[in-house]
Structure formats: structure tokens, C-alpha cells
Amino acid sequence: MGDARALPRNEEGIATVVGILKQQFGERLQTGHSIREQHGHTTTWIENQMPDAVVFAQSTQEVSDIVKACAAHKVPVIAYGTGTSLEGHVNAPAGGISVDLSQMNQVLEVNAGDLDCRVQPGVTREALNTYLRDQGLFFPIDPGANASIGGMTATRASGTNAVRYGTMKDNVLSLEAVMPDGTVIRTASRARKSSAGYDLTRLMVGSEGTLGMITEITLRLQGIPEAISAARCSFPSVEAASKTVMAVIQYGLPVARIELMDAQLVKAVNAYSNLSLPETPLLLLEFHGSQAGVAEQAETFGMLAEEEGGTGYEATATLEERNKLWQARHDAYWAMIQACPGRKGIATDVCVPISRFAEAVTAAEAKATEMNLFAPIVGHAGDGNFHASIMIDMEDADEVARAEVFVSWLNELAISMDGTCTGEHGIGQGKRPYLVKELGAGTVGIMGAIKAAIDPDNIMNPGKILPE
């Protein structure tokens, strides 16, 4: 279950800071058990470690005041967005203060001519796209959950559109952040490129709240495509589907999304959504561009798929039909839950070079079968990223132990293929044991040196990313 060990607590400091913040924030500081539990980790099997208090901040100045109080008394401080992270990022292993940023939820500025915007961290991706829609713009990063932009930035989130539009690191132009001493910094301007000093924006993106607390984000936007076409195609094997994906990438076909569902998941979705898809591996795709362009892309994909034995190919550009084609993907989680009543879904992700994708997914399927685990796979196939969602009876100690072994094996497999133990979920507590194995002690040592220089008292989200 990762590395969620409790850390030493500063009881006197915590009590002092809670008292100070209670005077300033009144009812916006909460210490009830249920709300503290909600602000610990709840989404997977990692143990819930509650903060001692939750403060609802409404401005950068308030965040700075909270961090200054915590810094003065060496008390941990943890940023909280929507709580959808999967690797224990919001846990408080040493107690401390959870800063809930959900009330900092304003779109501050949209520069349509420059295709960028500036938002507060509590804005969710769905709310942002609703706000942008009437200006013909959208923000393309879609991690699935309706996560906050601040949380997505802190965890370097990704999602189904990454094959065309990149991840958060490619779409954040600048940040405002509160540093561990309460100082407020801005990392860059709105310029599309700069050679001015260290790239602090990229350093903060993916730092998981361990270096500072993000209070504003300037984002790169995209124009809503003139036309969108969706397609799906079934394949005799994961290998055949993966070879098609490789052909698509090598051909230079500008797909916006290309998702793989394995046979187990297709079977579960058929049962849940009353569909009749062939119960073999399935690729789902989306093309963005002009009317003529998306039609040509869909046609080209159909030819590439046919060469690898693809069948049942279907493409459409109408919204209603696109939604039907994507129904299988959207229903995947609920289909797995229905297939395994009473069990909890434990999602883990890895990413490998695209040339190793078929081998990795095939090996993961075989390993899960060997260990008698139900672990359907869905993959962002275009960038070599896939998720195994293990359905576990948490009361069955043997099954839990087997699942832990499987997750460890999968991480080791990805690393052995020159891949990564996490393509988009982040390290948090869950993947800490694998960071040195992936990057080496020297590299992780440099990360530790940066952390120690910026946050010498280790108050910013302690117990995350770096091994003890």
C-alpha cells in the first residue's frame, strides 16, 4: 500500500497554529472528525491520515498568512483541491493543517487573442471549459475526474487528450505560488517562451505541494475544433491493437485521443451498458480538425486498422453518435463495480515506450490471471500509458496481499522497460518505494537537495514523493 507511515508530530506547534488560525478564520477553520477525514486520502487503499484542522482559504494573502503561521511553528501544511488524487497526496502523516482551496474558484482573466487564461487553483476543469465555451476555446487536459486545476498542476496530470495536446507541463505558462516561508512568487510571464533564468514553472508543476502551494495558474488554451470525428474498432488481440497504435503514431496521424480497453473490460461494459461489442480488445479514437481533415484521418485509421485484423470499424462526426461510441469508455468504472459487487477498485498506472506497450499490457493481463486477480486494463495507448484497475475484497487479506504484489510487479516491469512507475497519477505516498529504482539515488538526491533548500523544516506536504 505504498509508504504511508506516520511521521513524528509537533503537538505543541499544531495546537498553537490551530489557535492562531481559529482567531483569524473563525468558522472557516474546522476541526470536526468527519471533515478532517474527508480531507485525508479516501480514493484508494492507502490508509486515511487526517489533518488536525481544515482551513478554507479565499485568497492568496490568506494562503500566505496560513503558511507563515505554520512556518513559524514548524507545522505541516497540505494543499487540498477536490481530493481525487489516487496516491495519497492529501494525507497528513504528521498531522497539521489542510488548506482547502475550493473557494478560490474564479477564472481571473481570459486572453482569447493569445489563447491563454489565468485561474485560481480551485477552478475545476469542467467549470473552466463551461466558462470558455462561448468564446470558442477549451482547455484540453482531461484526467477523467472533475479535478481542480491547482491539483492537476501539482500532480502534473494528463489524460485522454495527451497524445495530441500534451500534459499539464505542456499547458502551464506561469504560476503564482506561496513558498514555505509564506513568500508569494510568480514563476514566469505570459510569453510563450523564455530563456530568463531557471524554469521554476516546470519545477513547481508536478511537485505535489512539497515545494509550495499554487494559488494562480496561467494556462495555454486551444480553439474548439471546427469538426470532431470519433471511431472505434475491435481487434483479435492486444498486440494487434497496439501495432495499429504504433502505425498511427509513426504515420503521423494527428489523433486527439486513442484509448485501449482490454477484453475483460469490454465484457464488463457490455453487461453494464447493454451493448453488444465484440468481447475482444477495443480501440476508441477521436480526431480534431477541419471537416475534410477529420474525414481523411478517420479513413486513414480504418486502413491501418484493417491491416492488423481490425473489425467492426465505425466512425462518425455527429455529437449524438460520438457520445454513443464513447459510452463504453465513460461507463468503464461503473461496469467494473457492477462486475464485482462489494469490491473496491484500486487504480494504478504505468507508462512505457510505445514500442513496448503491447508487451507490457499482455504481460500485465497474464500476471493478473496467474495471480487470480480481476484487473481490467484501460490505456491511453497513444502515449504508452495504461491503468490496471484491480477489484479487491478489502476484507480478504490474502487477496489484498496478492494485489500489493501485483502492483509492485507492474511498477518493476515498467521501469525495466525504460518506462515509469507512474505516467500521470504521481508519486505521493503510493509510488515512493519506486522512485530511486526508476531514477537512481543520485537524481533523487538532487531532488532532496532542492526540497531541503526551499523547505528546510519540511512543512510542505511532508511524506510525499521523496523517500525518508
Side-chain angles (χ1 to χ4, degrees):
M1 296 188 188
D3 189 359
R5 291 172 292 175
L7 300 176
R9 291 173 53 86
N10 175 6
E11 299 289 0
E12 182 179 351
I14 291 170
T16 300
V17 168
V18 171
I20 291 170
L21 296 179
K22 185 66 175 177
Q23 289 184 341
Q24 179 176 353
F25 291 93
E27 291 303 308
R28 283 196 283 134
L29 181 140
Q30 298 288 321
T31 56
H33 183 276
S34 61
I35 197 163
R36 290 190 297 118
E37 186 175 47
Q38 290 168 14
H39 284 73
H41 184 74
T42 60
T43 52
T44 59
W45 60 2
I46 296 172
E47 175 190 358
N48 183 297
Q49 296 169 315
M50 298 184 293
D52 292 278
V54 178
V55 185
F56 292 84
Q58 295 178 344
S59 69
T60 298
Q61 184 58 57
E62 288 187 347
V63 174
S64 177
D65 291 345
I66 294 166
V67 173
K68 284 178 180 177
C70 289
H73 298 278
K74 299 183 180 181
V75 169
V77 58
I78 304 105
Y80 185 93
T82 61
T84 56
S85 58
L86 296 169
E87 298 292 351
H89 297 90
V90 296
N91 260 343
I97 308 300
S98 174
V99 183
D100 188 311
L101 301 167
S102 61
Q103 294 181 15
M104 293 177 65
N105 59 0
Q106 300 300 306
V107 177
L108 300 172
E109 180 181 39
V110 176
N111 302 291
D114 295 319
L115 292 177
D116 67 45
C117 69
R118 184 166 56 91
V119 303
Q120 292 183 308
V123 175
T124 64
R125 65 171 188 86
E126 290 181 3
L128 177 58
N129 277 321
T130 298
Y131 187 95
L132 295 170
R133 190 176 299 141
D134 65 353
Q135 300 186 58
L137 302 172
F138 81 112
F139 180 63
I141 309 303
D142 176 6
N146 187 24
S148 67
I149 298 297
M152 291 168 61
T153 303
T155 56
R156 198 158 61 219
S158 181
T160 58
N161 283 321
V163 65
R164 175 159 181 166
Y165 298 106
T167 71
M168 286 301 289
K169 72 178 177 62
D170 305 300
N171 289 277
V172 174
L173 295 173
S174 175
L175 296 171
E176 177 187 85
V178 176
M179 303 309 286
D181 63 354
T183 301
V184 180
I185 69 165
R186 187 169 293 277
T187 60
S189 68
R190 288 198 298 119
R192 287 303 173 107
K193 62 180 182 178
S194 172
S195 298
Y198 298 146
D199 190 346
L200 296 184
T201 305
R202 290 289 184 92
L203 179 63
M204 296 297 292
V205 174
S207 63
E208 301 182 10
T210 63
L211 300 179
M213 196 169 296
I214 295 166
T215 51
E216 283 186 14
I217 310 99
T218 302
L219 299 168
R220 186 190 303 264
L221 302 177
Q222 302 288 333
I224 295 175
E226 174 192 339
I228 299 174
S229 177
R232 73 181 179 204
C233 189
S234 297
F235 291 85
S237 66
V238 164
E239 182 178 12
S242 300
K243 285 183 177 179
T244 302
V245 173
M246 287 180 60
V248 166
I249 301 303
Q250 292 168 356
Y251 194 85
L253 203 62
V255 290
R257 308 185 192 197
I258 182 164
E259 297 282 292
L260 169 73
M261 295 169 61
D262 75 354
Q264 286 189 110
L265 188 52
V266 174
K267 183 177 181 180
V269 167
N270 274 345
Y272 178 81
S273 303
N274 195 29
L275 299 175
S276 55
L277 297 167
E279 292 178 353
T280 60
L282 177 73
L283 285 182
L284 294 164
L285 301 97
E286 195 164 272
F287 309 99
H288 295 177
S290 66
Q291 296 283 355
V294 296
E296 182 181 354
Q297 291 168 38
E299 182 181 357
T300 301
F301 171 79
M303 292 188 296
L304 295 174
E306 187 177 2
E307 291 178 5
E308 295 296 338
T311 58
Y313 177 61
E314 182 181 354
T316 181
T318 66
L319 178 61
E320 183 179 359
E321 290 301 317
R322 291 204 322 265
N323 289 340
K324 286 182 180 179
L325 284 181
W326 278 98
Q327 182 180 356
R329 178 66 176 92
H330 296 323
D331 288 346
Y333 175 76
W334 302 110
M336 288 185 285
I337 295 295
Q338 177 179 279
C340 302
R343 292 172 179 256
K344 187 167 186 174
I346 308 301
T348 188
D349 87 304
V350 295
C351 188
V352 297
I354 192 69
S355 62
R356 306 297 297 274
F357 183 74
E359 181 184 356
V361 173
T362 301
E365 288 183 318
K367 188 69 172 180
T369 300
E370 174 192 324
M371 300 184 71
N372 194 28
L373 293 169
F374 182 65
I377 289 173
V378 60
H380 307 319
D383 46 25
N385 185 200
F386 68 93
H387 307 263
S389 297
I390 317 160
M391 307 304 295
I392 305 174
D393 178 358
M394 297 302 291
E395 302 300 317
D396 184 337
D398 177 68
E399 188 167 64
V400 170
R402 282 185 280 120
E404 288 181 326
V405 170
F406 175 81
V407 170
S408 178
W409 171 87
L410 186 59
N411 291 328
E412 300 273 6
L413 175 71
I415 292 168
S416 74
M417 292 180 168
D418 204 18
T420 176
C421 65
T422 174
E424 57 188 19
H425 291 179
I427 293 292
Q429 294 172 317
K431 298 294 180 82
R432 286 174 78 198
Y434 307 99
L435 193 62
V436 171
K437 294 178 181 179
E438 179 174 326
L439 299 177
T443 299
V444 176
I446 293 296
M447 293 182 183
I450 293 170
K451 166 73 168 172
I454 294 175
D455 182 20
D457 293 321
N458 192 26
I459 67 167
M460 302 301 293
N461 207 11
K464 316 298 164 57
I465 301 183
L466 300 171
E468 292 300 316

